[in-house]
Each structure stands twice: as structure tokens, then as C-alpha cells.
Amino acid sequence: MNPPKSCYNQDMPPLVWTKFKIPLLRTKSVLRPRLLEKLNRGLGCRLILISAPAGFGKTTLLVQWLQSQSLQALWIALEETDDDPIRFFSAWINCLRQMIPSYCDDLLQVLCSAQLPALDLLTAELINPLLQSNQPAILVLDDFQHIQNTVIVRFIQDVITYLPPEFHLAILTREDPALPLARLRSQNELVEIRTNDLRFDPTESSQLFNELLNISLEPSIVKALTERTEGWAAGLQLAGISLQSSPQPANLVQDLSAGTRFMLNYLAEEVLNKQPQDIQDFLLKTSLLSTLTPARCNLLTGREDSAEVLEKLEKSNLFIQPLDEQSHYYRYHALFAELLRNRLNRQGEEEVCNLHLRAAQALLAEGLATESLSHFLAAKEFAAVADLLESHIWDWINHIPAAELEKMLSKIPPEIQFSHPRLQLGLGWLHLLQGNFPRLAGTLQSLENLLAENKPLSDDLALLRAEFLALQANFLQVQQKFDQAIQFARQSLTLIDSKNNRIASLAFLALGGGLRQKGEYEEARAALEKAIQLSRVNDDPVTDILAVSHLTLMALEYGHLELAATTAQTAIHHLEQHPHGYPAVLGAVYGALGWAHYHLNQPELAAQFLLRGIHLAELSGHNASAVYSLAGMARLHIVRGDLNAARQCVQQADQFFQRGAPGWVLPELISCKSRLAVIEGNWIEAEAILTASGVTPDFAPTPYSEPLLIAWLRLAIAQEDIQTRNTIFELVQRLLEYARASRRNYALLQTLIAGAVLHFKKGNAIQTRQWLDEAVQVAAASGYRSIFLEHRQDLLPILKSIRMPALEPFLCPLGETQASISSQKPPSSARYQSGITLTEREQEVLRLLAQGHTYNQIAEQLVVSLNTVRFHVKGIYGKLGVTKVNQAIAEARRQGLI
């Protein structure tokens, strides 16, 4: 599960970075002042559109204009393969990073992992930094006719609508794009240059012949050629090149007929036929290459002087363009390349396939495996394609879109596909990462049949079977079949026997995850630490991240908060310094680190890391980390008294879970839903939520059922149902025994606090003190703080009856220093002389009550629900020791709160 190389840069293959090079102009070119002036007016519009067929000089005109401008110019040369959202948006980001170096860091990592966020989120991520930068620039999208994908087109529509006035967009295309051109035209927001604008007049044609091609022609001949070619720049240039070797202009004019396609074919044949045979051969054979270099051309043609030939062709104006200042990389004009390829195809399929094979080998020799694939496919070398996919699958499943990989596979005969089991395994991991479990199940079945046919085990086959078992183990863990997951992971490790770190790290990941859910802390920790170690040796960041997030969350459950924070922080530092960038699933670690800071009562850090975890999860589609990060934010909002925000987080988390997430994240989500219902007094709803989970109070405690059983305790405390107290105390006892035996300190702490509250309600002060004393000892040893704040309204009445100085510091509001409550002085209007603090929202509610507002009016003014107002009023009553509004106002005034 290795990530791809990070952003494009000058050290990368030219097939990548030349996309962003503004085309070089020849020393001389025909200047067209009337069109340049029209383009100047485009700086006051939302879109510049140059739309005309090939060969009309669109690119030359725009480059000339850019050279006259002082604003920064950015260029993307689009190709057919860019009509894929992941490729297009990756190119967009990398191009704009020339202007804003940190532009869309997180989103780029997501796209490099072959994942596409929702369009609304994607658009916001791409446009907002440009709105904030205020940097004047123009971005050119060349050859936009290749773009038909509706996601990309909708994005460009949004770009035109929302981009700031200092950022300009220009589109060069052979056909009009599906954009609201009529509306833009009516609003004077569009400058367009079309075919008729680009046609050469006789004066411009004369400049082309005389100054660029060094051909002296009579004005009448220039006029006639202009008329016959209809001012088509490419036709005029081809005519001029033809006349250089056979200067009979009158005959050429006579032979030309109307019709661009006919003229193109005629002139191209004229030009090619007048080239020496070896040059014709060179042009045809190298036309298959999208980017030409001397080395590649030598391999395709069998020559050794391709550098000299390319330089000669450029000087001859033969529709070849250098891509760099050193003239090492070239490409043919698209129109000329198309003609050459059409002519090459007449030479027969065998010859064309042979040339594609040479092109593939040339690119592969340069380390451009991805670029070689299309040539291998065109050569029908399907076994070579399968070999390439098999050997690079770990890299490609993370940065080539799944649809593209599957399209390649569809061209490979099934018998060849299934003779490459490692390819099938790679696709299995792809399906697992994407949550495509039905496809994964089918792949696993095919692999099982394939591997069953091969006995006895060779070393190679043993590793295949080991990887198959590791894949199955990880899938079983997602399905909550933990015993089977552990069994398969151990079988995989037995087969590996230290022969393959990559497979071993994946097996240890499944083993550690399964053991975590079984409550086997020591074994789970050892397995996950081994997964982390091996994944770093093997440079496998995704496995590293998943193992770290498991280990961090597990450490929080067992009271090892320092281990949790250190593990997460070390992983983040390691991965964000990675030379190839970090996978966006790093959000899983950020979310886990946010939980650590939440438990430590460090709300600002908790919110910072949880929100980053949510952001990365949204971008990457990693639903599990989205669920538990949102649940953490919900807990944070509940403690702060913002129930609306908490409910929104829970609703979002529920949506992510429905999209596909492992079952182990569900208990915390259900617990949050239940807690919100309890706080708002909706006990029937809370009970229905917990009952629907399938876990009832008589269930045995396990890592899965534990949060739900504790949620039942919270409901029982709120209901104050005397008749069920014995049953609830039985549950408390079972949870205590389980938590102590398994050393799950967070469950122990929650149970001790809940039990103490129940004992207090029963009137048993001694038991209350004993249980809270133990809770304080557990919290002091492990670092837990926020759990006391979650129970603050239940614990404050206890402090009024039972003096417990050791408990008071744990009841300080989030972010405040943990000084003794009783020793704190009241600042202005927020604190009682007793040291009890009102939340900001409670202060607002109290102030509005004192002003005579009703509950409904307060809800409307604060934009919260009526139940939320009642919740805050109940909190105020508890802290003031009153039961009515007028009593609360009087007591608040006595205390100087209002």
C-alpha cells in the first residue's frame, strides 16, 4: 500500500512536467495586433475563449499575448487521458503550486491515492485558497476539447463563477466547451476569438512567407493562396514548405481545392513526399511518441543521429516544437502527428505493433513504466502488461484511478489475468481500501480456487498464499469476525517465516486489530508495533498509519495516554517528512491524537487534531476515521454545552458509517447518540437507540459492548428509576470485574464514576466516597480528565454533601488550570464564590432569563433547540441549588453573576 511519488517537479519525467511549460515561440512569428488588443480586453472578463479547428494559430496567438503581459502565466496542456477527474485535478493543483507552493497539500495526497472527494468539497478546496491569495495570474487550459467529463466541466463552471477578478482563465479548444457561454456573453464576461478572427489576411500571409519561410512571392500569388487556404495558418505553412523545394506557386494554387481536410491531406503528402526517404521513415516511426527525445527516436528508428535529425526538422519549420530551452524534448504539432499516424497505419498492423513495442521498451528503459503501458497494450503484448501491473500494483493502486486500472485489465484476456495471482492480490487490496467488499469477495474466491490448484507449496507459492491469508484476515476484521481474522493472520505469518516484510506488516496489522477487539492488550500492542516497524522498513505508509491509529486508540482504552500521544505524534512527524508525501489516510492518526488530547482535557489541541482528522477523512473517504473523529468532536461539544453542534457531528458520523465503515467504530457513535438524547431528557429515544444496537444491560462486557453498557448506565442515572437499581448495580459490578481483569482503565474509570453517582442517589455516602477516591487515583495515574467534566452535573451535588478536595481539580472546565475549586475567586460574572463555573452558554441563557425572555425566545435568539435551552436551565438549577426560574435569577444576583 505504498503511496505514489508526490507532486510534479522538474526532476520528474518530461511526460509530466512539460504539461506545465508555456510553449516556446520561434524567433520570428506573425504578430497580430488586432487580436492582441482583443485579448487585452479579456483581463476585464471572467473567461477568455479561443475556439477554432487545429492549425489556426490559437496557441501561438495566446503565447504572444502572454509575453506582453506582466501578470504570472500558468499553462496546462491537456491530453485525452486528462479527461479523468483525478488526473485533471492533480494537474490543476501541481500547476498552481508554481504560484502557491503549499496549494492544496492535503487534497493532492488524496488524489495521489486515486481517490476523488465529493464535488462540492473538491471545489471548495480548490477555489478557496485562490480567493485568499489575491495574486494576479492567468491560467491557460490548452486543448480543452479533450475534456468531456461532467465533474470537470461543472468544476470549471464554478471556477468561472467564483474566482476573484485578479485571477483569469483562458481556454483554447477545437470545439466549444459545455459552459454557459451565452450567459457570459450577455453579461460581457466573455472575450472570444473564433475561426474567422484567426484567418490570415493577405498582409499576414505575406509576412509568413517572406519573413518566416524566406519565400518571396508576388502579391497576387499570396492573395490567391490566402483565398484557397481560407487564411488557415497550417495550410499556408504547408504550402510554403512545399514551395521551398518546388517553387511553382501558380501550379500549387491551381491544384489546391476548397476544403480544409482535402487541403491538409494534399499539402501533407506534398511535404512528406518531398522529404528524403530516411526523413520520411523517421517521421512516420516516431509519430507514435507523444514526447520525442533523441534516445527514444534512436530506439524506434535504429538510427544513432536522432538529435541532429530533430534539430534539422525544427529549423525546417516541419511542425515540430521544442519543449525545453535545451532542445532535448520535442513534440509534433497535433495535426501533423495525426496525419503521420494515419499514414503509418497504412503500412500494416504488424509494423505498427512492432513500433509500439519498441516505444514501450524505450519508455520502460527510462523507468517510465506507467507511460509504457499504453504502448504495450497497442502492441497487444498482454503478458507484458500483466507483468507490469503485477510488479507495480502496490504503487499504482494508490495513484492510478481504479476505473483506469480496470479498463486496462479489460483489454487483457482472462486466461492471462488469472495466470498472474499477484495482480489479483493487488486488486484485492485495492477493493479493500476502497470499501468495495462485493468485488473483494469475488476476487478472494477466484484466488482461493487458483491457489488450491497448486501443490505442493514452493517458496513463491507459499508467499502468495501468505498474502492471500493476510488479505482475508484484514477483510474478516472489517466484518467483525475477529477469531477468524486472528487465525488467518497467524497462518499467514507462519507461511512467511520472515521472508517478506510487506506481507508480514499486513498480517500483523490484521492480527493486532483482531486482538484489540478481543481485549488482548499485550499481544495486540506487540502485533501493531511490529506492523509499524515492518511497514517503515518497507516504506509502506498506509499500513503504518492504520497500525498507528489502532495502537493509539487502544492505548487510550487502557489508560496509556502518554503512549497514545507519543505514538501518534511520532507517526505524524515521520509521515509528513516523507519524501514522497503522506497518504491522506493520515487523518486516522490525527483523529486518534485528537482523542488523546480530549481525554487529557486539552480542548484546543483536541479540536485542532480532530478537525484535521475529519478534513482528511472527508477528502480521502476513509470512513472509519471520519466516524471516530466526529464522535470525538461531538463529545467535545457536549462538554462545552453546544448540543446543536454535537448533534450535527453525530449526524455526519452516521452518514460516514452508512457509506461503509468497520463495525468497531459503531459503539462510540451509538453511545454519543444516546448521550445526546439523555441530556435533552428524551429517555425513550435514548432507550430505543441502545436497544436497536442489540446490546442490552444483561450482555457480557467485551471491547465492543463496553461503551454501550456504560451508555445504559448513564441512562439509568438520568432516569433515577428505583425499581431497576438492583439490575443496574449488577451491571456496574460486572463492568468493574471485567475492566479490572482486563486492565481497561477507561472503562474502569467510567464505571467507578457512574457507580459513585448511583450510590449517592441511594444515600450511601461511604460507598460514594470510596468509589470516587478510586476514580481519582485511576485518573491521576493515567491522565484522564475530561470524563469528570462529562459527569460534572452529577458530581457537583456530591461535592456539596461530601468534601473531596482531591476531586475538585478534576471538575475545572475545559482548558482551565486545575486549581482547587473552593480556592478560586469569581472573575467578573462567570464563577460562584464556591468555585463552581457556568459555561458560556449557561451564562447567556441566565442573562436572557433575567431579561424576561421565554424558553422559546431564548431558543430563537441563540439559534438552538427548545430541548437545548431546557438542558442549560437544568444545569443552572443544579449549580445554583434551585428549582425555579425566579429562584435562579435571585441566587445569581446574590452571587453577582448578573
Side-chain angles (χ1 to χ4, degrees):
M1 287 182 270
N2 297 321
K5 304 292 185 283
S6 62
C7 3
Y8 302 116
N9 55 59
Q10 293 292 327
D11 299 323
M12 292 189 69
L15 286 175
V16 175
W17 64 258
T18 53
K19 292 178 71 67
F20 312 125
K21 295 276 291 182
I22 297 176
L24 300 174
L25 285 183
R26 299 183 183 282
T27 307
K28 296 180 180 179
S29 57
V30 178
L31 289 176
R32 316 185 73 181
R34 59 188 173 88
L35 298 181
L36 295 175
E37 178 57 33
K38 192 171 185 179
L39 287 172
N40 285 337
R41 296 199 295 274
L43 293 177
C45 300
R46 290 192 172 275
L47 177 64
I48 295 172
L49 176 69
I50 305 181
S51 179
F56 270 91
K58 300 184 293 295
T59 300
T60 300
L61 173 66
L62 195 64
V63 173
Q64 286 177 341
W65 178 68
L66 291 176
Q67 290 179 343
S68 71
Q69 301 298 315
S70 59
L71 76 170
Q72 183 172 0
L74 304 167
W75 193 283
I76 304 178
L78 298 168
E79 305 167 82
E80 287 184 20
T81 53
D82 292 315
D83 194 31
D84 171 88
I86 291 176
R87 286 187 180 276
F88 178 87
F89 293 121
S90 297
W92 176 282
I93 293 172
N94 280 292
C95 180
L96 284 162
R97 285 165 77 90
Q98 298 172 80
M99 181 175 76
I100 308 172
S102 60
Y103 178 67
C104 294
D105 277 335
D106 292 339
L107 179 56
L108 182 58
Q109 300 305 327
V110 172
L111 295 172
C112 285
S113 300
Q115 299 178 71
L116 187 70
L119 180 59
D120 290 347
L121 176 62
L122 185 73
T123 300
E125 288 288 314
L126 291 167
I127 292 180
N128 286 341
L130 299 176
L131 293 171
Q132 295 163 6
S133 73
N134 296 318
Q135 296 187 48
I138 181 166
L139 173 62
V140 180
L141 300 177
D142 192 10
D143 283 328
F144 195 79
Q145 71 277 356
H146 293 307
I147 303 302
Q148 304 294 327
N149 185 281
T150 55
V151 171
I152 302 174
V153 173
R154 282 182 57 197
F155 167 72
I156 296 299
Q157 291 174 356
D158 288 338
V159 167
I160 294 169
T161 302
Y162 298 116
L163 275 182
E166 64 271 11
F167 192 93
H168 309 281
L169 182 67
I171 289 178
L172 279 63
T173 179
R174 297 185 190 181
E175 58 188 49
D176 279 3
L179 297 172
L181 300 181
R183 175 170 58 81
L184 291 169
R185 198 178 290 124
S186 68
Q187 296 171 347
N188 292 320
E189 293 287 1
L190 173 67
V191 162
E192 48 193 329
I193 293 177
R194 297 190 169 276
T195 305
N196 285 337
D197 300 310
L198 290 165
R199 295 186 193 281
F200 273 46
D201 61 27
T203 301
E204 292 167 332
S205 298
S206 179
Q207 189 180 351
L208 172 69
F209 290 132
N210 295 333
E211 297 181 18
L212 272 68
L213 300 177
N214 296 315
I215 302 172
S216 180
L217 297 175
E218 293 293 330
S220 61
I221 296 296
V222 172
K223 181 180 180 183
L225 283 171
T226 303
E227 290 174 351
R228 286 299 179 95
T229 60
E230 298 181 345
W232 181 39
L236 288 165
Q237 186 171 348
L238 279 167
I241 294 170
S242 178
L243 288 172
Q244 284 177 330
S245 57
S246 179
Q248 297 178 353
N251 292 344
L252 182 62
V253 171
Q254 186 67 33
D255 290 340
L256 285 175
S257 300
T260 300
R261 177 58 57 181
F262 174 84
M263 262 192 295
L264 176 62
N265 290 332
Y266 173 81
L267 290 170
E269 292 293 333
E270 277 284 301
V271 170
L272 282 174
N273 289 337
K274 290 177 181 178
Q275 300 300 320
Q277 187 58 48
D278 66 320
I279 296 299
Q280 291 187 45
D281 182 69
F282 182 93
L283 290 169
L284 292 176
K285 289 180 176 178
T286 57
S287 66
L288 294 178
L289 294 168
S290 57
T291 303
L292 292 80
T293 67
R296 294 173 196 169
C297 293
N298 283 341
L299 280 171
L300 260 70
T301 63
R303 303 177 69 114
E304 297 180 353
D305 61 345
S306 293
E308 290 78 8
V309 174
L310 290 167
E311 185 178 351
K312 181 180 177 182
L313 291 174
E314 182 195 354
K315 290 179 179 177
S316 301
N317 295 306
L318 205 57
F319 290 90
I320 188 170
Q321 181 181 23
L323 298 177
D324 62 339
E325 288 78 4
Q326 294 75 32
S327 295
H328 185 70
Y329 301 105
Y330 297 83
R331 67 173 168 226
Y332 292 122
H333 188 287
L335 197 61
F336 193 54
E338 180 186 341
L339 289 164
L340 292 173
R341 289 167 191 159
N342 288 338
R343 184 162 175 176
L344 175 65
N345 287 334
R346 299 179 209 159
Q347 297 189 4
E349 183 180 4
E350 184 177 351
E351 172 66 11
V352 174
C353 285
N354 184 47
L355 286 169
H356 274 297
L357 180 58
R358 288 194 219 168
Q361 292 168 339
L363 292 167
L364 196 57
E366 295 180 33
L368 303 176
T370 306
E371 290 79 1
S372 71
L373 277 172
S374 61
H375 289 289
F376 276 122
L377 283 169
K380 299 184 178 179
E381 291 288 331
F382 301 122
V385 175
D387 287 340
L388 269 177
L389 286 168
E390 194 172 56
S391 57
H392 291 83
I393 194 69
W394 285 100
D395 188 28
W396 288 346
I397 63 175
N398 282 284
H399 76 283
I400 292 183
E404 189 172 332
L405 278 174
E406 289 171 355
K407 184 179 178 181
M408 290 180 197
L409 284 169
S410 69
K411 298 178 181 179
I412 303 174
E415 62 272 15
I416 295 179
Q417 282 192 46
F418 288 105
S419 65
H420 289 73
R422 281 199 176 83
L423 174 57
Q424 296 298 309
L425 282 165
L427 291 175
W429 291 111
L430 172 64
H431 297 323
L432 179 64
L433 285 172
Q434 293 185 325
N436 193 341
F437 301 140
R439 294 289 300 274
L440 174 56
T443 300
L444 285 170
Q445 185 60 58
S446 299
L447 279 164
E448 188 170 14
N449 296 337
L450 180 65
L451 294 173
E453 297 171 2
N454 294 278
K455 297 177 181 179
L457 284 181
S458 64
D459 284 347
D460 189 54
L461 186 57
L463 288 178
L464 286 173
R465 192 160 290 173
E467 185 171 350
F468 168 71
L469 289 167
L471 176 58
Q472 273 197 314
N474 279 279
F475 185 32
L476 288 164
Q477 197 221 139
V478 169
Q479 297 173 301
Q480 299 184 66
K481 299 176 181 178
F482 303 121
D483 289 326
Q484 287 177 275
I486 293 168
Q487 177 188 350
F488 278 49
R490 284 176 170 155
Q491 289 177 12
S492 174
L493 291 168
T494 300
L495 286 171
I496 296 166
D497 193 24
S498 304
K499 293 174 183 174
N500 188 296
N501 287 336
R502 177 180 63 80
I503 301 172
S505 66
L506 294 165
F508 275 119
L509 173 64
L511 179 61
L515 289 167
R516 173 194 167 197
Q517 298 305 321
K518 294 292 290 182
E520 303 291 342
Y521 174 77
E522 295 298 340
E523 286 187 80
R525 176 177 173 177
L528 291 169
E529 288 178 339
K530 193 68 174 176
I532 295 167
Q533 174 199 343
L534 293 176
S535 62
R536 290 180 186 174
V537 169
N538 199 55
D539 196 20
D540 181 358
V542 174
T543 303
D544 186 353
I545 287 167
L546 297 177
V548 165
S549 58
H550 267 300
L551 180 56
T552 301
L553 292 171
M554 183 178 70
L556 295 176
E557 295 164 357
Y558 285 82
H560 300 224
L561 272 63
E562 184 177 346
L563 169 66
T566 302
T567 300
Q569 288 165 350
T570 302
I572 289 170
H573 177 77
H574 166 73
L575 290 160
E576 290 197 337
Q577 302 300 317
H578 196 282
H580 300 319
Y582 54 89
V585 290
L586 184 58
V589 180
Y590 272 106
L593 181 57
W595 268 101
H597 286 290
Y598 170 76
H599 286 305
L600 290 164
N601 188 25
Q602 296 168 342
E604 298 307 321
L605 285 173
Q608 174 187 332
F609 292 126
L610 287 168
L611 289 172
R612 179 143 173 78
I614 294 165
H615 177 70
L616 288 172
E618 286 179 319
L619 290 176
S620 66
H622 191 246
N623 298 326
S625 59
V627 173
Y628 65 69
S629 297
L630 282 161
M633 278 304 300
R635 294 269 287 270
L636 194 56
H637 286 310
I638 289 171
V639 171
R640 287 172 164 171
D642 193 343
L643 300 190
N644 270 354
R647 189 170 290 282
Q648 289 174 5
C649 287
V650 167
Q651 290 170 350
Q652 283 183 276
D654 203 31
Q655 291 168 4
F656 276 104
F657 184 80
Q658 297 303 325
R659 293 174 196 170
W664 60 263
V665 300
L666 188 56
E668 181 58 42
L669 175 57
I670 295 172
S671 175
C672 278
K673 288 181 182 179
S674 168
R675 186 173 308 182
L676 278 169
V678 167
I679 289 171
E680 294 180 338
N682 297 326
W683 298 334
I684 295 175
E685 179 188 348
E687 186 170 353
I689 289 169
L690 292 173
T691 302
S693 74
V695 174
T696 55
D698 59 347
F699 259 56
T702 66
Y704 181 87
S705 66
E706 165 197 296
L708 299 170
L709 294 173
I710 291 171
W712 280 109
L713 281 183
R714 287 178 179 271
L715 176 58
I717 291 171
Q719 288 177 317
E720 300 184 14
D721 189 344
I722 304 296
Q723 295 178 353
T724 62
R725 278 186 184 168
N726 289 337
T727 303
I728 294 301
F729 271 109
E730 289 174 7
L731 172 57
V732 169
Q733 197 58 42
R734 279 188 284 119
L735 279 168
L736 275 181
E737 292 172 1
Y738 160 75
R740 285 185 172 128
S742 59
R743 293 177 295 165
R744 291 177 66 84
N745 283 337
Y746 188 54
L748 175 61
L749 187 54
Q750 292 181 91
T751 307
L752 287 169
I753 294 172
V757 173
L758 287 169
H759 278 299
F760 181 73
K761 288 180 179 292
K762 197 176 180 180
N764 193 334
I766 296 175
Q767 288 283 74
T768 301
R769 180 186 292 277
Q770 289 176 348
W771 285 48
L772 284 178
D773 279 342
E774 185 179 352
V776 167
Q777 291 171 15
V778 172
S782 57
Y784 293 114
R785 294 294 183 273
S786 60
I787 181 63
F788 292 95
L789 294 165
E790 292 177 4
H791 285 276
R792 196 166 189 269
Q793 290 191 31
D794 297 314
L795 293 174
L796 286 174
I798 297 176
L799 279 181
K800 288 184 177 181
S801 300
I802 305 172
R803 178 168 170 73
M804 295 190 67
L807 176 61
E808 291 179 358
F810 291 89
L811 294 176
C812 286
L814 288 169
E816 293 190 9
T817 57
Q818 295 177 351
S820 170
I821 291 178
S822 58
S823 67
Q824 293 177 14
K825 296 180 180 179
S828 62
S829 62
R831 197 177 301 273
Y832 297 101
Q833 292 176 0
S834 62
I836 298 172
T837 303
L838 295 178
T839 67
E840 290 181 10
R841 186 50 61 94
E842 286 171 344
Q843 294 171 45
E844 290 176 316
V845 170
L846 183 59
R847 176 176 52 81
L848 292 170
L849 285 171
Q851 292 172 2
H853 291 281
T854 66
Y855 284 11
N856 283 326
Q857 290 171 333
I858 294 172
E860 184 176 347
Q861 185 162 336
L862 298 182
V863 195
V864 297
S865 70
L866 190 59
N867 279 335
T868 300
V869 174
R870 288 175 178 148
F871 163 72
H872 291 307
V873 171
K874 182 181 176 183
I876 293 168
Y877 286 176
K879 293 175 181 179
L880 294 176
V882 299
T883 58
K884 295 182 180 179
V885 170
N886 59 350
Q887 294 173 344
I889 295 170
E891 180 64 16
R893 284 176 174 152
R894 189 182 72 79
Q895 294 284 350
L897 296 172
I898 53 176

